[in-house]
Amino acid sequence: MKKEITFDFFSETERLVIRPLKNDDYQNWLSEFKNRFPSQHRHDIGKIDMSECTKEWFHNLVKKHQMLALSDTANVFGIFRKNDGKHLGMVDFSTLARENFQWGRIGYTIHNQYWRKGYGKEAVIGALHIAFKDLQFHRIEAHINVDNAPSINLAESVGMEFECVRKGFIYEYEEWTDHLIYYINSK
């Protein structure tokens, strides 16, 4: 089962639009990254140096996202607030296996200046609609650091179920770290 090639996948929720980035999003995207608060915890990158993120760099990022989608490697979506168009964060799906599996991984991040307003949950629910309907995944997993309580809470709040701990699963923080695996299947 191969998905149709398109860059028009999007989802709307009550307050949000989840869609691929466009070249015209540059100023909005850059502004919201620059407005981030300092890191709030170990898994929050907080403020980052955006000096290399020129308009040309961003246009190349948009092209890279399109190429990742075209190769069915990953689909990356911006999260935008409907009432003012502000860029709130990103959600992505990486393809883990196709054929008889239709299996993907979700990643999500909300700029920390927009935390604790329910945007993460709303965005993930909207994005899962894209994953199951448009990208035709059957199973989506979230790979979560064992001490990342906000991400665990988000996964559980959207109906993902805890499956297991994968020991030494991802190399980060200069060591192999354990991750909790949460999953949800298409209905």
Side-chain angles (χ1 to χ4, degrees), residues 1-9 69-70 72 75 98 133-136:
M1 204 182 314
K2 188 146 171 83
K3 73 177 182 71
E4 180 184 335
I5 306 297
T6 181
F7 305 113
D8 297 331
F9 296 143
L70 186 63
D72 196 29
N75 286 268
R98 284 293 186 179
K133 179 180 176 281
D134 299 316
L135 301 177
Q136 300 175 1

Side-chain angles (χ1 to χ4, degrees), residues 74-137:
N75 286 268
V76 182
F77 301 94
I79 302 164
F80 298 89
R81 194 163 52 193
K82 274 186 183 178
N83 68 355
D84 60 8
K86 291 223 183 255
H87 179 261
L88 305 182
M90 303 293 292
V91 62
D92 66 89
F93 295 101
S94 301
T95 301
L96 299 177
R98 284 293 186 179
E99 303 296 323
N100 296 332
F101 295 98
Q102 301 305 324
W103 175 29
R105 181 209 53 85
I106 188 172
Y108 41 80
T109 184
I110 298 292
H111 297 307
N112 61 15
Q113 69 268 32
Y114 295 111
W115 285 2
R116 296 175 187 85
K117 294 175 173 42
Y119 292 130
K121 179 178 180 178
E122 191 173 335
V124 169
I125 289 170
L128 285 171
H129 178 78
I130 296 170
F132 294 132
K133 179 180 176 281
D134 299 316
L135 301 177
Q136 300 175 1
F137 285 114

Side-chain angles (χ1 to χ4, degrees), residues 30-46:
L30 182 65
S31 174
E32 295 312 316
F33 268 99
K34 286 182 172 181
N35 288 334
R36 292 181 82 148
F37 298 146
S39 177
Q40 305 297 304
H41 59 74
R42 175 170 112 114
H43 303 294
D44 173 25
I45 58 173

